[in-house]
């Protein structure tokens, strides 16, 4: 039997952190989906060799500091406005790979106008949409995508449809817009899901090179701190409660 | 060979933008400045210089597109009128906080609220005292003619890039809508991407290369001690701007016993009022601030030593007059005269106000 | 006959002990340590190293990219 020391050698390395990720320790809570999605975006950038051509737009919300973790040029947007920034960068630098990275509050609440119009114009960008149905950064308040009956800091008795309206299933609306070419809903709760999500992100970035218009990747995610569950339990809760409303799969692939 | 044209103030903003090598304009229609976007879309500068022109979905989106373009190190601008400028305030403070250069044009109309579509100067406070949140300043240029609408586009960009700070042209519906003879600026090519990297590569998001750390355009600094340090840096910049960039014009001040202080279209009205007053034997002059930030405080202080009284004339209920009073510091009497809500004072009204409020008062 | 043998290296100080790698591992190799790291987290470690097949599932689901995976094809003794 081989000794572990004999296995852990450079020539036997099969998986390590991509160089596009910085060495900064992420500020995210243990088990947060953001870390996984950051890694996937970074791996795609490395594998496509587009580090010098990629401009990221970070949002307001937990991922406001995304620029500390991916070693590319970044613009940090005001809350909800990332697609407007991305529009300008795309128009001024059509040769660049521009992506926004937005949460559900940023994209589906305060920034609804910006995302709709950027997608409708078919801006040649990638949108990464993290939907965990809660506001993480501000401490677990209700999001536009919070499920019916789901308890948050501002829906302490559960989301009441009469009071707060329905969960906004925005990705289906986005898929209606002719400016979008690829709209998909992914998750990162299992190794297989992570591999699939990475393929989706890769395809989205490749679409930029092919000038296909907007590619939109929703990642149904967990917020174990906000949900008050362990990371493992959060994944189980997500499959049971989020997936029936936010169904994983491709909505559009043209 | 100089090129002269008879043009509207708004049209000339568009023409000057193309000629000065502007990379992008993002706007949203609002009266009385829609001719800027209309002229640009008619001119199709993207065919000529590659300049991007885009009608955004809102003023909010437009100013954030400006942020995106400015962060690329490009010459990017927007324009609007008062209610639209209010919507842009969030983006403007983020631009100031991220130290991004850009040009904003406000063709002011009367407020508050939806107000009126007629000219006013009631956005002075918003322009020079903040507007958005936090301790920041804009470089504010106040054109008094169509010629200055032309000249200040290039000047605005020059100052914005020199100090990495948003610049604002504070115009109004009179200057925007009136036609005058204008000497157009010579055509300058847009910066190439290589020039942008050379000029602005230390901060602009041009794509991270192996030879430099990543550039991040952000106004976020969660560490309070570092945020305070950053604010000190901003304040030092504003101080330098105050020391170096004050611009004003003095008219008929040599023998003046009284003084008008007025900017933009009010200063034009005051010029006529000077003629009318002097026919009556009243020796009055005009100090016209061209930059509203930095404000010509010292020049007004000096005039306060020489005159018996000062009348601040504005198309507002009295905003800039506060800065005149701060400059004069009680030395002589300072009063305000204004028409507002879209009303424009006549030269005769201004002379009467001088007589009633300053000479007799 | 060749048997695949794997091993992982955890950056202990960066591990937040979320446990997602523990459930992602098909061979039940990983557990959280009873000890904590400098940040107070029970970090992941190979509790059952012999079972590791170097599939990298643990590293793939790790939100903090703290796991390196190594693999060899060893001849059966």
């Amino acid at each position: 039997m081989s000794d572990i020391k004999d296995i852990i050698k450079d020539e036997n390395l099969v998986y390590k952190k991509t160089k596009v990720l910085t060495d900064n320790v992420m500020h995210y809570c243990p088990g947060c989906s953001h870390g996984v999605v950051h890694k996937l975006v970074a791996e795609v950038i490395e594998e496509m060799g587009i580090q010098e051509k990629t401009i990221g737009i970070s949002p307001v919300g937990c991922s406001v500091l995304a620029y500390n973790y991916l070693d590319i040029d970044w613009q940090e947007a005001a809350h909800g406005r990332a697609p407007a920034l991305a529009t300008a960068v795309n128009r001024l630098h059509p040769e660049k790979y521009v992506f926004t990275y937005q949460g559900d509050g940023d994209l589906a609440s305060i920034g609804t106008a910006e995302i709709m119009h950027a997608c409708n114009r078919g801006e040649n960008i990638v949108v990464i949409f993290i939907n965990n149905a809660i506001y993480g950064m501000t401490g677990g308040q209700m999001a536009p995508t919070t499920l019916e009956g789901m308890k948050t800091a501002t829906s302490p008795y559960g989301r009441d449809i009469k009071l707060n309206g329905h969960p906004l299933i925005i990705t289906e609306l986005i898929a209606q817009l002719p400016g979008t070419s690829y709209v998909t809903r992914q998750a990162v709760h299992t190794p297989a899901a992570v591999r699939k999500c990475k393929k989706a992100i890769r395809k989205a970035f490749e679409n930029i090179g092919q000038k296909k218009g907007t590619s939109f990747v929703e990642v149904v995610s967990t917020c174990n701190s906000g949900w008050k569950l362990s990371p493992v339990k959060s994944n189980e809760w997500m499959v049971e409660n989020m997936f029936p409303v936010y169904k994983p799969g491709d909505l559009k692939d043209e | 060979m100089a090129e002269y044209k008879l043009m509207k103030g708004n049209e000339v903003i568009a023409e000057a933008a193309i000629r000065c090598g502007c990379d992008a304009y993002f706007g949203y229609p609002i009266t009385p400045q829609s001719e800027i976007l209309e002229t640009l879309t008619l001119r199709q500068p993207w065919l000529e210089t590659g300049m991007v022109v885009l009608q955004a979905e809102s003023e909010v989106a437009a100013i954030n597109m400006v942020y995106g373009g400015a962060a690329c190190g490009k010459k990017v601008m927007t324009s609007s009128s008062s209610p639209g400028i209010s919507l842009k305030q969030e983006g403007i403070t983020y631009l100031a906080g991220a130290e991004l250069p850009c040009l904003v044009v406000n063709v002011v109309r009367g407020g508050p609220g939806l107000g009126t579509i007629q000219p006013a100067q009631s956005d002075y406070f918003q322009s020079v005292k903040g507007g958005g949140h936090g301790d920041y300043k804009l470089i504010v240029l106040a054109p008094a003619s169509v010629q200055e609408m032309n000249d200040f586009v290039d000047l605005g960009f020059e100052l914005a890039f020199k100090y990495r700070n948003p610049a604002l042209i504070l115009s109004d519906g009179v200057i925007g809508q009136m036609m005058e003879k204008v000497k157009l600026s010579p055509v300058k090519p847009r910066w190439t991407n290589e020039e942008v990297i050379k000029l602005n590569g230390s901060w602009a998001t041009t794509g991270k290369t192996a030879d430099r750390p990543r550039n991040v355009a952000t106004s976020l600094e969660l560490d309070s001690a570092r945020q305070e340090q950053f604010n000190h840096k901003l304040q030092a910049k504003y101080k330098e701007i105050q020391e170096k960039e004050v611009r004003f014009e003095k008219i008929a001040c040599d023998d003046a016993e009284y003084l008008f202080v007025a900017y933009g279209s009010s200063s034009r009205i005051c010029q006529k009022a000077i003629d009318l007053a002097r026919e009556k034997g009243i020796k009055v002059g005009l100090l016209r601030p061209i930059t509203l930030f930095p404000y010509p405080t010292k020049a007004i202080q000096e005039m306060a030593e020489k005159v018996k009284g000062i009348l601040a004339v504005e198309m507002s209920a009295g905003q800039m007059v506060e800065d005149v009073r701060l400059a004069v510091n009680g030395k002589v009497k300072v009063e305000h005269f204004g028409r507002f809500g879209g009303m424009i004072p006549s030269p005769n009204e201004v002379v009467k106000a001088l007589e009633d409020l300053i000479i007799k008062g | 006959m060749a048997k695949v043998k794997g091993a992982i290296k955890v950056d202990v100080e960066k591990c937040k002990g979320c446990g997602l790698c523990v459930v992602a591992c098909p061979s039940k190799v990983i557990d959280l340590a009873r000890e904590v790291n400098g940040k107070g987290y029970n970090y992941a470690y190979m509790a059952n190293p012999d079972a590791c097949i170097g599939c990298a599932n643990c590293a793939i689901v790790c939100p903090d990219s703290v796991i390196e995976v190594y693999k060899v094809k060893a001849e059966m003794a």
Side-chain angles (χ1 to χ4, degrees), chain B residues 22-257:
Chain B
C22 180
D23 293 298
Y25 170 96
F26 301 101
Y28 187 81
I30 181 171
T31 309
Q33 64 81 56
S34 297
E35 294 88 349
I36 300 174
L37 178 56
E38 287 170 5
T39 305
L40 283 168
T41 49
L42 191 67
R43 281 278 270 105
Q44 297 182 290
W46 51 91
L47 301 176
E48 192 181 323
T49 71
M51 177 184 175
V52 170
V53 179
L54 188 62
Q55 178 169 336
E57 61 269 30
S58 68
E59 286 92 346
V60 176
I63 192 69
N64 283 285
M65 290 173 185
V66 168
Y67 184 111
C72 291
K74 303 262 183 179
K75 282 189 186 177
V76 182
M77 67 181 290
T78 185
S79 68
S80 191
S81 179
S82 309
I85 295 290
S86 290
L87 282 168
K88 289 185 195 290
Q89 291 303 324
E90 176 199 44
I92 290 172
T93 173
Y94 277 65
L95 281 151
E99 294 201 271
L100 296 176
C102 69
L103 182 64
V104 180
V105 181
N106 183 1
V107 183
V108 181
R109 60 189 249 186
L114 202 49
T116 166
I117 58 170
Q118 299 301 327
Q121 294 182 307
S122 44
D123 295 355
Y124 178 86
F125 284 154
Q126 186 194 51
S127 308
V128 306
K129 308 278 181 192
H133 59 278
D135 283 316
Y136 75 93
K137 292 282 182 191
L138 305 177
I139 298 164
V140 184
L141 302 167
S145 62
V146 174
Q147 185 64 55
E148 284 187 336
M149 289 287 257
N150 174 81
D151 300 348
F152 289 178
V153 171
D154 200 21
L155 177 63
F157 274 123
E158 185 192 316
L159 294 173
F161 276 89
K162 184 173 174 186
Y163 294 100
R164 277 186 63 191
N165 202 71
L168 174 75
I169 295 180
L170 188 67
S171 181
D172 63 61
V174 176
I175 309 288
Q177 291 296 331
M178 76 180 176
M179 294 184 87
E180 285 187 312
K181 187 174 93 169
V182 56
K183 182 184 169 188
L184 295 174
S185 301
V187 175
K188 285 199 283 192
R190 288 173 56 221
W191 289 331
T192 62
N193 285 344
E194 291 69 32
E195 284 170 323
V196 168
I197 289 170
K198 202 175 159 203
L199 293 166
N200 308 321
S202 63
W203 53 268
T205 58
T206 52
K208 188 217 168 295
T209 42
D211 59 349
R212 68 158 171 84
R214 64 187 179 282
N215 285 339
V216 179
T218 181
S219 57
L220 180 69
E221 177 50 71
L222 291 171
D223 182 310
S224 298
R226 287 215 290 250
Q227 182 62 261
E228 187 186 42
Q229 274 309 309
F230 173 70
N231 268 272
H232 278 306
K233 183 186 160 205
L234 284 184
Q235 291 303 315
K237 175 166 84 176
Y238 304 145
K239 192 159 174 269
E240 189 189 346
I241 294 170
Q242 279 171 305
E243 283 162 3
K244 293 184 182 166
E245 305 298 345
V246 173
R247 288 164 170 80
F248 60 90
E249 181 186 20
K250 288 205 283 192
I251 294 170
C253 284
D254 288 347
D255 64 342
E257 293 175 356

Side-chain angles (χ1 to χ4, degrees), chain C residues 2 7 16 34 38 44-45 64:
Chain C
K16 294 175 184 163
R34 294 174 72 177
Y45 80 111
D64 293 285

Side-chain angles (χ1 to χ4, degrees), chain A residues 22 24 51-55 57 60 64-79 81 83-89 91-93 95-96 110 113-118 121 123 137, chain B residues 23-24 26 52-58 60-62 64-72 74 76 90-91 94 190 193 196 204-210 212-222:
Chain A
T22 66
N24 295 327
Q51 190 174 11
E52 294 190 0
K53 290 185 189 169
T54 305
I55 313 282
I57 318 286
V60 169
V64 63
L65 294 168
Y67 56 74
N68 283 336
Y69 309 128
L70 268 71
D71 194 20
I72 53 171
D73 278 357
W74 281 94
Q75 301 185 3
E76 200 288 303
H79 201 16
R81 318 298 174 217
L85 275 64
T87 295
V89 183
R91 297 298 177 115
L92 285 159
H93 281 293
E95 79 287 2
K96 295 265 196 279
I110 195 167
E114 283 76 11
I115 192 64
M116 282 289 167
H117 286 277
R121 286 188 300 265
E123 298 297 337
M137 176 65 99
Chain B
D23 293 298
F26 301 101
V52 170
V53 179
L54 188 62
Q55 178 169 336
E57 61 269 30
S58 68
V60 176
N64 283 285
M65 290 173 185
V66 168
Y67 184 111
C72 291
K74 303 262 183 179
V76 182
E90 176 199 44
Y94 277 65
R190 288 173 56 221
N193 285 344
V196 168
T205 58
T206 52
K208 188 217 168 295
T209 42
R212 68 158 171 84
R214 64 187 179 282
N215 285 339
V216 179
T218 181
S219 57
L220 180 69
E221 177 50 71
L222 291 171

Side-chain angles (χ1 to χ4, degrees), chain A residues 107-169:
Chain A
L107 183 142
S109 190
I110 195 167
T112 316
E114 283 76 11
I115 192 64
M116 282 289 167
H117 286 277
C119 289
N120 192 49
R121 286 188 300 265
E123 298 297 337
N124 194 37
I125 59 171
V126 169
V127 176
I128 307 284
F129 168 40
I130 305 296
N131 177 12
N132 57 14
I134 205 160
Y135 284 68
M137 176 65 99
T138 43
Q141 294 82 11
M142 185 178 65
T145 52
T146 293
L147 301 174
E148 183 176 5
M150 187 174 163
K151 287 181 182 172
T152 71
T154 51
S155 58
Y157 306 105
R159 183 179 187 143
D160 176 355
I161 299 297
K162 277 188 192 157
L163 184 64
N164 305 120
H166 297 268
L168 184 57
I169 305 174

